[in-house]
Amino acid sequence: MDYLDKFNKNLSRVFVWIAGSALIAVMLLAVGNMFLRAFYVPFGATWELVGFLTAIVTAFSLGFSQLTKAHVAIDLLIQLFSLRVRLFLESITTLLSLFLFSVVTWHIYKYAGRVLEQGVLSETLRIPFYPIIYAVSAAFFCFTLVLLADFLRAVIGVFKK
Amino acid sequence: MSDVTLAMIGIVFMFLLMLLRMPVGFAMFFAGFVGFSIVVSPRAAVSILSTDIWAGFASYSLGVIPMFVFMGQIAFRTGVTENLYSAAYKWVGHMKGGMAGTTIAASTAFAAICGSNAATTATMGTIALPEMKRFNYSPMLSTGSVAAGGTLGVVIPPSVVLIIIAIQTEQSIIRLFVANIIPGLLLAGLFMLTVILVCMKYPHLGPAGPKSATIEKIKSLSGVIEPLVLFFLVIGGLYAGWFTPTEAGAAGSFGALVISLVQRKLTWNNFSLAILDTLRISAMVMILVGGAVAFGRFLTVTRLPYVLAEWAVDLPISSLFILLIIIFIYIIGGAVMDALGFLTLSIPIFFPLAMALGYEPIWYTVLICIITTMGAITPPVGINAFIVKGLAPEVPMEEIFKGVGLFMMAYVVTIVLLIAFPQIAMFLPRLLF
């Protein structure tokens, strides 16, 4: 359990660095393009690149957001139960989340494979963009690992308490 | 079993998951995924899930979300507000309740560069609560003014909530921003009026501070110039068509970074904290938006929103009465749930209904934005009240809720005025577009 937590933290830290760099890149690209448009010619691929970078910003932050419990949840009902019941219910909802996002991860991975096989290129730059889809599926995989750790923690909690 | 019945079961199932503390975005995703699998097919559900998620995450338009969050976080972390607060204090601090008024005025100004009520509350609270304590303000008034003033972060543009509603309902972001300006200022004005009336009746709640000389007042305005320039750059640039909403967010973030550099307030530590919070919030928002899209697709294939709209239109009651029911649902929803969460999940259900009843989309959006924002200060969830509690742990929670209760009437009056006079929201968009 400790090993998984440590692995998740380290992986999320790396992913957050990538996401943060992509965030700055989006800002600079968009601002740079505004100046280019005003004083020279706009950079035509801005739209496409900002899209790809936004995918990196958000997908690579998913694991970190789950680690820091950033997602909005309602505590009203669950507070009424004992700790053991709370952990039991948490294990069920986390298992459902784990199932959902494992399916998502797998299908984004398969989608990247289809894009690679079909040789699909981006509209403006005409470059293959399947690596970014693979990267997004890797980010979702990191997210599911954090969910897996949360699930295991809740299950262990049920039996320990 | 009919598709509409399945949709109803889907909604109940989603709320059940939420009550069991599944995060709101996950619950919408899960209910939407399961529902779509049953109504259409599991293969179609997973196919839509993968392509929709990729299309959503790699969307230029959704790039607007991290950019505006980043702008607010830079302003929040680098303490641009300190100048705003001292300027506002110089102008109104000498009046009874002047510091509470200062808090409202500075929150209004900060809201013009920050689109989040939590960030506005935390920022203003950090500065204002110790000051008001120093001047013997009643904890009820001081905490109430910080929590209520913080809600202006969402109401006054730019606002992350408005951006998300605009994306969900395919409306123009800039029109929604412009439409919210007058209602936001009206609400801020009513908050100020509340402070004045409360302190007229109970002067001991907010003793007057020392008076500033006119020259000091004028000098203090220098600290307000940069945030104001940033606001006009973002809103003006969008309105003039200089840049897209994503570029406006990027320009705003860049401008906020430049201001904090000029004011020598940017450190590596607060810069990295701003980035980390931006990433956390952006991921959370994207999951909410993605969940709402998945859930919305499920509702669309069941045709529930349209059936509901047709049914409501045929009811032998006035559309105003139906609107009041919707408002009631939003008040309850906003009180028990995070405003953004409730908005994203309720829009696929109620927005088509409101449109079928003939309401103006911009006006309706402004109205529900204000109503759900009120939820940030109403018990039991009242996020702003909890943030204030974190900043002033010695003040009992009941005292904080009593304090925000003082400002509730301002919300009620704003909502009633908006319903009675839709021009409050529609005047500027009609004038400018």
Side-chain angles (χ1 to χ4, degrees), chain B residues 35 51 58 60 62 79 186 217 239 263 290 304 309 350 354 364-366 391 421:
Chain B
T51 47
Y60 176 88
L62 287 183
L186 171 69
K217 285 182 184 171
Y239 168 64
Q263 294 184 347
L304 175 78
F350 293 120
Y364 175 76
T365 306
V366 171
L391 295 170
F421 306 103

Side-chain angles (χ1 to χ4, degrees), chain A residues 16 30 33-34 37 47 51 54-55 58 61 64 66 68 70 72 74-75 78 93 97 100 104 107 111 143, chain B residues 20-24 26 29 46 49-51 53-54 57-58 60 242-243 247 250 276 279-280 284 286 337-338:
Chain A
V16 157
N33 188 49
M34 281 159 50
R37 193 170 53 222
W47 188 276
T54 301
T58 43
S61 312
F64 175 62
Q66 181 61 22
T68 51
V72 178
I74 304 171
D75 289 321
I78 207 120
T93 54
S97 307
L100 173 72
V104 170
H107 281 275
Y111 177 61
F143 179 39
Chain B
L20 295 179
R21 218 192 168 279
M22 187 184 234
V24 174
F26 297 9
F29 242 124
V46 289
L49 211 58
S50 54
T51 47
I53 286 179
W54 164 250
F57 273 58
Y60 176 88
W242 294 341
F243 33 68
E247 286 175 340
L276 285 177
L279 298 177
R280 284 178 73 231
M284 179 271 284
M286 287 301 268
M337 261 181 82
D338 170 77

Side-chain angles (χ1 to χ4, degrees), chain A:
Chain A
M1 191 68 224
D2 287 347
Y3 178 76
L4 183 60
D5 278 339
K6 204 173 170 186
F7 178 75
N8 282 340
K9 270 183 194 160
N10 288 334
L11 190 61
S12 290
R13 194 172 295 155
V14 174
F15 278 20
V16 157
W17 263 99
I18 299 170
S21 309
L23 178 77
I24 301 296
V26 171
M27 182 186 75
L28 294 177
L29 189 61
V31 172
N33 188 49
M34 281 159 50
F35 281 106
L36 280 174
R37 193 170 53 222
F39 301 109
Y40 189 53
V41 270
F43 177 47
T46 305
W47 188 276
E48 198 167 273
L49 285 178
V50 166
F52 291 155
L53 287 166
T54 301
I56 302 286
V57 170
T58 43
F60 278 62
S61 312
L62 286 172
F64 175 62
S65 70
Q66 181 61 22
L67 267 179
T68 51
K69 301 285 174 270
H71 296 285
V72 178
I74 304 171
D75 289 321
L76 278 179
L77 182 73
I78 207 120
Q79 282 172 343
L80 304 174
F81 301 120
S82 69
L83 183 60
R84 177 171 276 186
V85 175
R86 280 209 299 264
L87 286 167
F88 173 70
L89 294 173
E90 190 186 321
S91 67
I92 292 174
T93 54
T94 313
L95 182 64
L96 294 177
S97 307
L98 179 61
F99 165 73
L100 173 72
F101 289 106
S102 301
V103 173
V104 170
T105 306
W106 174 241
H107 281 275
I108 293 178
Y109 177 79
K110 274 181 36 181
Y111 177 61
R114 282 205 304 278
V115 171
L116 167 66
E117 269 173 31
Q118 293 165 3
V120 182
L121 300 177
S122 68
E123 282 177 20
T124 316
L125 288 172
R126 311 300 298 162
I127 51 166
F129 60 95
Y130 68 87
I132 302 170
I133 311 179
Y134 273 127
V136 167
S137 74
F140 267 91
F141 180 66
C142 167
F143 179 39
T144 55
L145 283 182
V146 180
L147 286 169
L148 176 66
D150 287 345
F151 168 68
L152 293 176
R153 201 173 297 111
V155 171
I156 291 169
V158 172
F159 291 103
K160 263 191 179 173
K161 300 290 167 191

Side-chain angles (χ1 to χ4, degrees), chain B residues 226-294:
Chain B
E226 297 96 329
L228 274 184
V229 167
L230 197 59
F231 172 74
F232 283 113
L233 171 80
V234 170
I235 301 294
L238 263 176
Y239 168 64
W242 294 341
F243 33 68
T244 63
T246 304
E247 286 175 340
S253 306
F254 190 73
L257 275 174
V258 171
I259 289 174
S260 53
L261 267 174
V262 170
Q263 294 184 347
R264 295 171 185 276
K265 285 178 173 166
L266 189 68
T267 62
W268 176 251
N269 187 42
N270 54 34
F271 177 65
S272 27
L273 284 174
I275 289 185
L276 285 177
D277 274 349
T278 303
L279 298 177
R280 284 178 73 231
I281 296 168
S282 301
M284 179 271 284
V285 170
M286 287 301 268
I287 286 288
L288 271 177
V289 173
V293 170

Side-chain angles (χ1 to χ4, degrees), chain B residues 136-205:
Chain B
N136 292 322
Y137 266 58
S138 131
M140 183 176 75
L141 182 63
S142 61
T143 54
S145 62
V146 169
T151 61
L152 295 169
V154 165
V155 180
I156 291 180
S159 156
V160 175
V161 168
L162 285 178
I163 291 171
I164 291 160
I165 303 178
I167 292 169
Q168 248 190 309
T169 58
E170 297 178 344
Q171 292 187 73
S172 151
I173 291 177
I174 182 59
R175 281 180 195 222
L176 284 185
F177 277 4
V178 166
N180 253 45
I181 290 176
I182 295 180
L185 291 177
L186 171 69
L187 185 61
L190 288 170
F191 282 165
M192 297 278 250
L193 185 65
T194 304
V195 172
I196 292 169
L197 293 177
V198 166
C199 289
M200 268 169 66
K201 186 141 198 230
Y202 307 103
H204 64 280
L205 294 181

